[in-house]
Amino acid sequence: MKTWRILAVSLLAAFGTSAHAEDFIKGVYLQSEELCAQAKKVSLQSVIDAGGLILSQNGIESVEYNCEFLNVTKATRSPAWAVTALCQEPGHLFPDTLSILELNETQIEIVSVRQVDPESGQTDNGGTYVLCDGVAMP
């Protein structure tokens, strides 16, 4: 039994884990301080209804759009993660690969490998997200 446990731990270390790392995203992040203020003053639902992206440990959410984080692998040399996600918008399902970097205690930067044409109206997962203290997912 002990041998199997050691083997399982070794495999997880070698290939990363599909579970979220303990120090992965904690809390709710929005794309600006202004949106955080709106979520606190009015509601998080008002940000969602306006099409704002919400980042949490489970993925990225918005009205008629979501990206579920499937595999999260922590970097060993920086406060960063490589994430595979499955994203969905009406009539379209696609994979995305993201790098997520903790810039500081309140900001996270996301870079997506997905090419987004600004004129197409596609959602861009990338950008800087700000921690919204006191805001919880609905």
Side-chain angles (χ1 to χ4, degrees):
M1 183 71 150
K2 189 175 182 181
T3 305
W4 283 106
R5 207 174 282 162
I6 291 169
L7 179 60
V9 170
S10 298
L11 287 172
L12 286 174
F15 296 109
T17 71
S18 59
H20 299 289
E22 284 181 25
D23 57 350
F24 191 55
I25 298 169
K26 294 202 183 329
V28 172
Y29 287 75
L30 297 175
Q31 292 177 302
S32 71
E33 294 283 349
E34 293 77 21
L35 290 173
C36 284
Q38 177 184 339
K40 288 178 188 178
K41 185 177 179 181
V42 181
S43 70
L44 185 57
Q45 190 62 48
S46 69
V47 175
I48 294 169
D49 291 344
L53 294 178
I54 298 164
L55 171 67
S56 72
Q57 70 178 356
N58 297 322
I60 299 171
E61 303 282 334
S62 187
V63 64
E64 295 190 357
Y65 181 80
N66 69 73
C67 282
E68 178 184 355
F69 292 165
L70 301 176
N71 187 19
V72 176
T73 304
K74 174 119 176 70
T76 57
R77 296 184 182 181
S78 63
W81 300 266
V83 177
T84 55
L86 190 58
C87 304
Q88 182 175 334
E89 51 194 19
H92 189 60
L93 181 70
F94 58 92
D96 198 359
T97 302
L98 309 164
S99 65
I100 299 179
L101 173 65
E102 184 179 70
L103 297 173
N104 56 48
E105 291 181 3
T106 61
Q107 288 185 311
I108 289 178
E109 181 180 67
I110 296 181
V111 176
S112 168
V113 298
R114 182 171 171 245
Q115 296 292 320
V116 176
D117 175 14
E119 294 178 14
S120 70
Q122 291 178 322
T123 302
D124 184 7
N125 293 325
T128 302
Y129 291 76
V130 179
L131 177 63
C132 297
D133 253 350
V135 175
M137 289 297 285

